[in-house]
Amino acid sequence: MDEVTIKVQGMTCGGCVRSVTGVLKGLTGVEDAQVSLEAAEARVRFDPGKVTVDSMRAAVEGAGFDAPA
Ligand code: 9UX
């Protein structure tokens, strides 16, 4: 299992945090996601054989937030 921290910009309340958490945890291969509003980032534990960091960023962006590299 790998771990990565990705930037997540545009979250403004706890609902946003729940949305981003759900989107990340909904990806096959994502084991856990801890999203911080204050830090504007998500720490994700994942199986690199099943999911890529790029696909995590794409999923976050698809939910309406920014996930810069
Ligand atoms: Mo809060 Mo975020 O009312 O998508 S849920 S701003």
Side-chain angles (χ1 to χ4, degrees), residues 35-60:
V35 180
S36 169
L37 177 64
E38 293 75 15
E41 63 187 25
R43 192 169 188 79
V44 184
R45 289 201 328 125
F46 65 103
D47 180 344
K50 292 185 177 172
V51 65
T52 64
V53 176
D54 274 352
S55 65
M56 293 175 206
R57 290 205 185 93
V60 168

Side-chain angles (χ1 to χ4, degrees), residues 7-39:
K7 294 175 194 165
V8 180
Q9 297 172 347
M11 297 187 292
T12 56
C13 84
C16 299
V17 172
R18 279 188 289 280
S19 295
V20 171
T21 302
V23 158
L24 289 169
K25 284 188 172 177
L27 296 172
T28 298
V30 170
E31 183 84 358
D32 191 31
Q34 297 298 326
V35 180
S36 169
L37 177 64
E38 293 75 15

